[in-house]
Amino acid sequence: AGTGKFFVGGNWKCNGTMDSVTKLVADLNDAKLENDVDVVVAPPYIYLDKVKQSLTDLIEISAQNSWVGKGGAFTGEISAEQLIDLGCKWVILGHSERRHIIGEDDQFIGKKAAYALSQNLKVIACIGEKLEEREAGKTFDVCFQQLKAFADSISDWTNVVIAYEPVWAIGTGKVATPQQAQEVHAAVRDWLKKHVSAEVASFTRIIYGGSVNGSNCAELAKQEDIDGFLVGGASLKGPEFATIVNSVT
Ligand code: G3P
């Protein structure tokens, strides 16, 4: 950890029921969370309002996606304006599941980021390579290309956090080693310095995601350029998520 306030997001993905969400919120409300950490959870859309109404204000709410522009006749979509109306502060964009399962491309994701930011929705911008890309030595190329698409559409980085999530580490239990993650985080920061500005490179938080859990978080958190985490599976368990939030100390 090095840059800005440590940031931990919990991406609940397409998980949960009314009962399990009620229990998770109760566990999070009971948890002792380090004050000096930005904590955000991203429930599925249908539970956003319930979570917003019942969760401690110490934790902000994120959506897992948003529509690319102003709302209207877009069946099944949710707009940034609607998310803001609900009290949602953040949105996750460019998650690998949306890139590779749903088929969202760099340009579409970049447009989503620009639109969300224009509506004052803060953005968790995700990038990351697949296993075959890493094995082919293309990790930096892939990450920089995805980053460039964000950079092409973002003019003000104040409300952006970058999440590096290697696809091979997501939901696999195969966490990146602290060295592997640090190497990419440092390269991402360097890219920002060269292609955006030294100032943006120094204040933008770069968080790691991919099989983070209560046991591996402390070592990762010690790395200079790991400024927090985006947690999937382990964010569904309140006490373990609290351990990850508190791992910075
Ligand atoms: O967005 C978080 C994520 O993709 C990581 O998921 O389950 O590997 O922690 P998980």
Side-chain angles (χ1 to χ4, degrees):
T3 300
K5 209 171 175 185
F6 204 65
F7 182 106
V8 178
N11 176 7
W12 298 359
K13 307 193 178 182
C14 184
N15 290 295
T17 60
M18 287 299 248
D19 280 354
S20 73
V21 167
T22 303
K23 162 94 171 62
L24 182 49
V25 167
D27 286 349
L28 290 172
N29 287 341
D30 284 347
K32 172 100 192 63
L33 300 176
E34 183 59 43
N35 284 335
D36 205 27
V37 178
D38 282 334
V39 187
V40 172
V41 293
Y45 283 139
I46 51 169
Y47 304 122
L48 277 176
D49 188 47
K50 172 184 167 71
V51 173
K52 172 68 194 155
Q53 300 302 330
S54 52
L55 186 64
T56 165
D57 287 343
L58 299 172
I59 302 179
E60 290 187 327
I61 308 292
S62 176
Q64 299 174 15
N65 184 27
S66 59
W67 177 237
V68 67
K70 192 170 156 50
F74 304 105
T75 302
E77 292 294 338
I78 304 286
S79 69
E81 299 92 313
Q82 290 174 317
L83 294 169
I84 289 285
D85 183 43
L86 213 67
C88 186
K89 296 271 197 291
W90 293 86
V91 63
I92 298 171
L93 293 175
H95 192 279
S96 71
E97 286 145 18
R98 297 212 61 88
R99 291 179 187 273
H100 304 305
I101 302 173
I102 320 287
E104 292 189 8
D105 65 23
D106 283 350
Q107 209 197 1
F108 189 59
I109 295 163
K111 273 194 197 163
K112 285 189 172 193
Y115 191 75
L117 291 168
S118 79
Q119 299 306 304
N120 293 321
L121 196 57
K122 302 181 194 185
V123 170
I124 302 170
C126 304
I127 60 170
E129 82 288 359
K130 296 192 215 170
L131 181 60
E132 60 265 34
E133 293 165 338
R134 173 164 282 262
E135 286 172 344
K138 292 186 183 152
T139 298
F140 289 170
D141 290 351
V142 171
C143 290
F144 295 164
Q145 185 190 319
Q146 294 172 350
L147 194 54
K148 180 174 186 309
F150 278 117
D152 286 347
S153 348
I154 295 173
S155 48
D156 179 352
W157 287 75
T158 319
N159 291 327
V160 181
V161 167
I162 296 172
Y164 168 57
E165 300 206 313
V167 181
W168 48 271
I170 296 178
T172 57
K174 258 179 82 177
V175 65
T177 64
Q179 294 69 30
Q180 282 174 321
Q182 166 60 27
E183 184 187 27
V184 178
H185 284 226
V188 165
R189 202 176 301 288
D190 193 50
W191 190 96
L192 289 174
K193 194 172 170 187
K194 289 198 185 109
H195 300 274
V196 183
S197 74
E199 195 200 356
V200 166
S202 74
F203 74 66
T204 300
R205 289 169 293 180
I206 307 170
I207 64 175
Y208 168 80
S211 295
V212 174
N213 61 34
S215 318
N216 59 30
C217 56
E219 278 306 307
L220 287 159
K222 283 187 196 148
Q223 302 301 308
E224 188 182 346
D225 292 290
I226 299 184
D227 307 314
F229 300 116
L230 188 55
V231 186
S235 72
L236 299 171
K237 298 171 215 151
E240 186 167 8
F241 186 64
T243 301
I244 298 170
V245 168
N246 297 338
S247 66
V248 68
T249 50

